[in-house]
Amino acid sequence: MEEGSQQEGFKVSDLRLPSFPRIGQLPAYKLAMIEVATAASHTDEPVSKWIMKVDKAGTKFEDLAEPGKGFNRLDRKLAASLTPTLEGELARRITNKKRQQLNLTNKFISGRQILWMIYDRFRTNERLGLVFTFTDLAKVEWLGDDKLVQFRNT
């Protein structure tokens, strides 16, 4: 059976995605995306590798343009399910990118490309480390030991 071919019979609503993450929720969001994609396709290994490519070091937006054999339907469902979760400036950027791509190639950007743009929103600039100093660290307010979880997630 072709990879991902068991995607037949799924509706967009079958991809129950988590809401748009905040920075402290990003690791759990990434894990949830792997779980959702795997559950939607009824297969494990190939789908997890397929979705994890989005977050792999060195992966570029362009690398994700083609879903790969057997993943077209899952990728379209991913795109359609991610779009309503987007917010603010990122939603505008993705909408513009979709329009641009549609005008140039008569194709939408892929679901994995949308996910890549979400992850990219949270990537840090390597040079930003030079901006923060010990003085900045000293200004961090400690909320107390009983608020450690809250402190770590902000």
Side-chain angles (χ1 to χ4, degrees):
M1 186 173 258
E2 181 179 291
E3 279 184 343
S5 65
Q6 294 180 2
Q7 299 162 31
E8 296 299 324
F10 280 89
K11 299 176 281 212
V12 170
S13 62
D14 291 333
L15 293 181
R16 289 184 175 78
L17 302 181
S19 58
F20 193 83
R22 303 289 174 240
I23 189 67
Q25 301 165 324
L26 191 59
Y29 180 85
K30 289 178 177 183
L31 183 59
M33 295 307 298
I34 296 166
E35 290 173 337
V36 166
T38 301
S41 68
H42 298 290
T43 182
D44 293 328
E45 191 60 30
V47 175
S48 59
K49 285 181 182 177
W50 176 81
I51 196 77
M52 288 169 57
K53 183 176 180 181
V54 174
D55 199 34
K56 188 176 180 180
T59 299
K60 298 184 207 99
F61 179 83
E62 298 78 21
D63 298 338
L64 304 168
E66 295 300 323
K69 186 176 181 179
F71 291 103
N72 286 329
R73 184 177 211 120
L74 181 60
D75 191 76
R76 292 306 336 135
K77 289 179 182 189
L78 179 62
S81 298
L82 282 170
T83 299
T85 71
L86 302 173
E87 50 187 47
E89 176 63 17
L90 181 63
R92 187 192 67 75
R93 283 184 44 229
I94 290 174
T95 298
N96 288 343
K97 191 75 165 170
K98 284 181 178 181
R99 280 193 205 123
Q100 179 186 26
Q101 185 73 14
L102 193 58
N103 288 336
L104 290 173
T105 66
N106 287 330
K107 290 171 51 175
F108 281 110
I109 62 175
S110 74
R112 290 192 306 167
Q113 285 178 311
I114 294 171
L115 189 58
W116 184 92
M117 290 179 77
I118 292 170
Y119 291 174
D120 189 57
R121 178 181 183 265
F122 293 101
R123 286 189 179 93
T124 57
N125 185 326
E126 292 174 9
R127 290 174 277 154
L128 282 182
L130 302 175
V131 175
F132 298 104
T133 66
F134 183 79
T135 305
D136 297 311
L137 182 60
K139 292 179 186 176
V140 173
E141 182 181 347
W142 179 247
L143 303 174
D145 289 347
D146 59 329
K147 306 249 185 192
L148 180 61
V149 172
Q150 179 183 351
F151 177 79
R152 291 180 60 184
N153 289 327
T154 56

PDB file of all heavy atoms in Angstrom, residues 1 10 13 26 29 34 63 90 93 99 102 122 130 135:
ATOM      1  N   MET A   1       0.837  -1.187   0.000  1.00  0.00           N
ATOM      2  CA  MET A   1       0.000   0.000   0.000  1.00  0.00           C
ATOM      3  C   MET A   1       0.883   1.252   0.000  1.00  0.00           C
ATOM      4  O   MET A   1       1.882   1.310   0.695  1.00  0.00           O
ATOM      5  CB  MET A   1      -0.906  -0.035   1.225  1.00  0.00           C
ATOM      6  CG  MET A   1      -1.910   1.085   1.227  1.00  0.00           C
ATOM      7  SD  MET A   1      -3.090   0.885   2.585  1.00  0.00           S
ATOM      8  CE  MET A   1      -4.439   0.241   1.651  1.00  0.00           C
ATOM      9  N   PHE A  10     -11.066  10.771   5.474  1.00  0.00           N
ATOM     10  CA  PHE A  10     -10.894  11.754   6.530  1.00  0.00           C
ATOM     11  C   PHE A  10     -11.409  13.108   6.074  1.00  0.00           C
ATOM     12  O   PHE A  10     -11.227  13.508   4.935  1.00  0.00           O
ATOM     13  CB  PHE A  10      -9.418  11.896   6.921  1.00  0.00           C
ATOM     14  CG  PHE A  10      -8.965  10.813   7.836  1.00  0.00           C
ATOM     15  CD1 PHE A  10      -8.463   9.636   7.343  1.00  0.00           C
ATOM     16  CD2 PHE A  10      -9.075  10.969   9.206  1.00  0.00           C
ATOM     17  CE1 PHE A  10      -8.069   8.627   8.181  1.00  0.00           C
ATOM     18  CE2 PHE A  10      -8.673   9.963  10.056  1.00  0.00           C
ATOM     19  CZ  PHE A  10      -8.163   8.790   9.547  1.00  0.00           C
ATOM     20  N   SER A  13     -12.050  18.227   9.491  1.00  0.00           N
ATOM     21  CA  SER A  13     -12.326  18.263  10.922  1.00  0.00           C
ATOM     22  C   SER A  13     -11.689  17.098  11.667  1.00  0.00           C
ATOM     23  O   SER A  13     -11.581  17.121  12.883  1.00  0.00           O
ATOM     24  CB  SER A  13     -13.834  18.287  11.168  1.00  0.00           C
ATOM     25  OG  SER A  13     -14.424  17.120  10.651  1.00  0.00           O
ATOM     26  N   LEU A  26       5.381  25.806  22.761  1.00  0.00           N
ATOM     27  CA  LEU A  26       5.888  25.331  21.481  1.00  0.00           C
ATOM     28  C   LEU A  26       6.343  23.867  21.491  1.00  0.00           C
ATOM     29  O   LEU A  26       5.973  23.116  20.577  1.00  0.00           O
ATOM     30  CB  LEU A  26       6.995  26.246  20.957  1.00  0.00           C
ATOM     31  CG  LEU A  26       7.416  26.001  19.520  1.00  0.00           C
ATOM     32  CD1 LEU A  26       6.246  26.179  18.556  1.00  0.00           C
ATOM     33  CD2 LEU A  26       8.553  26.956  19.137  1.00  0.00           C
ATOM     34  N   TYR A  29       3.298  21.772  21.396  1.00  0.00           N
ATOM     35  CA  TYR A  29       2.620  21.977  20.111  1.00  0.00           C
ATOM     36  C   TYR A  29       3.280  21.129  19.020  1.00  0.00           C
ATOM     37  O   TYR A  29       2.600  20.466  18.241  1.00  0.00           O
ATOM     38  CB  TYR A  29       2.677  23.463  19.748  1.00  0.00           C
ATOM     39  CG  TYR A  29       2.006  23.822  18.442  1.00  0.00           C
ATOM     40  CD1 TYR A  29       0.640  24.068  18.393  1.00  0.00           C
ATOM     41  CD2 TYR A  29       2.746  23.954  17.275  1.00  0.00           C
ATOM     42  CE1 TYR A  29       0.015  24.425  17.199  1.00  0.00           C
ATOM     43  CE2 TYR A  29       2.131  24.296  16.080  1.00  0.00           C
ATOM     44  CZ  TYR A  29       0.773  24.536  16.051  1.00  0.00           C
ATOM     45  OH  TYR A  29       0.159  24.889  14.862  1.00  0.00           O
ATOM     46  N   ILE A  34       2.931  16.155  15.474  1.00  0.00           N
ATOM     47  CA  ILE A  34       3.375  14.823  15.055  1.00  0.00           C
ATOM     48  C   ILE A  34       2.281  13.805  15.352  1.00  0.00           C
ATOM     49  O   ILE A  34       1.949  12.958  14.514  1.00  0.00           O
ATOM     50  CB  ILE A  34       4.699  14.436  15.762  1.00  0.00           C
ATOM     51  CG1 ILE A  34       5.823  15.393  15.336  1.00  0.00           C
ATOM     52  CG2 ILE A  34       5.074  12.985  15.449  1.00  0.00           C
ATOM     53  CD1 ILE A  34       7.059  15.309  16.216  1.00  0.00           C
ATOM     54  N   ASP A  63      12.055  23.622   0.639  1.00  0.00           N
ATOM     55  CA  ASP A  63      12.226  22.167   0.726  1.00  0.00           C
ATOM     56  C   ASP A  63      10.902  21.446   0.972  1.00  0.00           C
ATOM     57  O   ASP A  63      10.812  20.236   0.777  1.00  0.00           O
ATOM     58  CB  ASP A  63      13.189  21.797   1.861  1.00  0.00           C
ATOM     59  CG  ASP A  63      14.587  22.353   1.663  1.00  0.00           C
ATOM     60  OD1 ASP A  63      14.952  22.660   0.503  1.00  0.00           O
ATOM     61  OD2 ASP A  63      15.310  22.486   2.664  1.00  0.00           O
ATOM     62  N   LEU A  90       1.320  36.989  11.590  1.00  0.00           N
ATOM     63  CA  LEU A  90       1.658  35.731  10.930  1.00  0.00           C
ATOM     64  C   LEU A  90       0.536  35.283   9.997  1.00  0.00           C
ATOM     65  O   LEU A  90       0.802  34.827   8.887  1.00  0.00           O
ATOM     66  CB  LEU A  90       1.968  34.641  11.955  1.00  0.00           C
ATOM     67  CG  LEU A  90       2.351  33.288  11.362  1.00  0.00           C
ATOM     68  CD1 LEU A  90       3.648  33.388  10.549  1.00  0.00           C
ATOM     69  CD2 LEU A  90       2.493  32.249  12.454  1.00  0.00           C
ATOM     70  N   ARG A  93       0.879  37.336   6.896  1.00  0.00           N
ATOM     71  CA  ARG A  93       2.032  36.919   6.083  1.00  0.00           C
ATOM     72  C   ARG A  93       1.743  35.621   5.328  1.00  0.00           C
ATOM     73  O   ARG A  93       2.080  35.479   4.154  1.00  0.00           O
ATOM     74  CB  ARG A  93       3.272  36.732   6.969  1.00  0.00           C
ATOM     75  CG  ARG A  93       3.929  38.029   7.369  1.00  0.00           C
ATOM     76  CD  ARG A  93       5.214  37.849   8.180  1.00  0.00           C
ATOM     77  NE  ARG A  93       6.082  36.838   7.641  1.00  0.00           N
ATOM     78  CZ  ARG A  93       6.627  35.856   8.376  1.00  0.00           C
ATOM     79  NH1 ARG A  93       6.381  35.755   9.653  1.00  0.00           N
ATOM     80  NH2 ARG A  93       7.421  34.973   7.812  1.00  0.00           N
ATOM     81  N   ARG A  99      -1.444  33.748  -1.556  1.00  0.00           N
ATOM     82  CA  ARG A  99      -1.876  34.476  -2.762  1.00  0.00           C
ATOM     83  C   ARG A  99      -0.752  34.574  -3.780  1.00  0.00           C
ATOM     84  O   ARG A  99      -0.959  34.353  -4.970  1.00  0.00           O
ATOM     85  CB  ARG A  99      -2.344  35.885  -2.387  1.00  0.00           C
ATOM     86  CG  ARG A  99      -3.713  35.949  -1.836  1.00  0.00           C
ATOM     87  CD  ARG A  99      -4.200  37.399  -1.785  1.00  0.00           C
ATOM     88  NE  ARG A  99      -5.203  37.515  -0.773  1.00  0.00           N
ATOM     89  CZ  ARG A  99      -5.159  38.335   0.252  1.00  0.00           C
ATOM     90  NH1 ARG A  99      -4.164  39.164   0.403  1.00  0.00           N
ATOM     91  NH2 ARG A  99      -6.128  38.360   1.137  1.00  0.00           N
ATOM     92  N   LEU A 102      -0.149  31.185  -5.342  1.00  0.00           N
ATOM     93  CA  LEU A 102      -1.269  30.835  -6.214  1.00  0.00           C
ATOM     94  C   LEU A 102      -1.190  31.599  -7.530  1.00  0.00           C
ATOM     95  O   LEU A 102      -1.410  31.037  -8.605  1.00  0.00           O
ATOM     96  CB  LEU A 102      -2.593  31.130  -5.494  1.00  0.00           C
ATOM     97  CG  LEU A 102      -3.858  30.553  -6.114  1.00  0.00           C
ATOM     98  CD1 LEU A 102      -3.777  29.042  -6.231  1.00  0.00           C
ATOM     99  CD2 LEU A 102      -5.076  30.960  -5.293  1.00  0.00           C
ATOM    100  N   PHE A 122       8.922  31.530  15.822  1.00  0.00           N
ATOM    101  CA  PHE A 122       9.495  31.375  17.157  1.00  0.00           C
ATOM    102  C   PHE A 122      11.016  31.208  17.151  1.00  0.00           C
ATOM    103  O   PHE A 122      11.617  31.138  18.212  1.00  0.00           O
ATOM    104  CB  PHE A 122       8.861  30.176  17.864  1.00  0.00           C
ATOM    105  CG  PHE A 122       7.404  30.378  18.169  1.00  0.00           C
ATOM    106  CD1 PHE A 122       6.435  29.801  17.376  1.00  0.00           C
ATOM    107  CD2 PHE A 122       7.008  31.157  19.243  1.00  0.00           C
ATOM    108  CE1 PHE A 122       5.098  29.979  17.652  1.00  0.00           C
ATOM    109  CE2 PHE A 122       5.673  31.352  19.524  1.00  0.00           C
ATOM    110  CZ  PHE A 122       4.707  30.760  18.728  1.00  0.00           C
ATOM    111  N   LEU A 130      23.699  38.648  21.696  1.00  0.00           N
ATOM    112  CA  LEU A 130      24.609  39.736  22.004  1.00  0.00           C
ATOM    113  C   LEU A 130      23.887  40.938  22.615  1.00  0.00           C
ATOM    114  O   LEU A 130      24.491  41.757  23.270  1.00  0.00           O
ATOM    115  CB  LEU A 130      25.347  40.172  20.734  1.00  0.00           C
ATOM    116  CG  LEU A 130      26.153  39.091  20.027  1.00  0.00           C
ATOM    117  CD1 LEU A 130      26.722  39.624  18.715  1.00  0.00           C
ATOM    118  CD2 LEU A 130      27.259  38.584  20.920  1.00  0.00           C
ATOM    119  N   THR A 135      22.950  42.431  33.051  1.00  0.00           N
ATOM    120  CA  THR A 135      22.030  43.447  33.583  1.00  0.00           C
ATOM    121  C   THR A 135      20.586  43.070  33.261  1.00  0.00           C
ATOM    122  O   THR A 135      19.704  43.201  34.115  1.00  0.00           O
ATOM    123  CB  THR A 135      22.360  44.838  32.995  1.00  0.00           C
ATOM    124  OG1 THR A 135      23.738  45.119  33.256  1.00  0.00           O
ATOM    125  CG2 THR A 135      21.484  45.914  33.595  1.00  0.00           C
TER     126      THR A 135
END
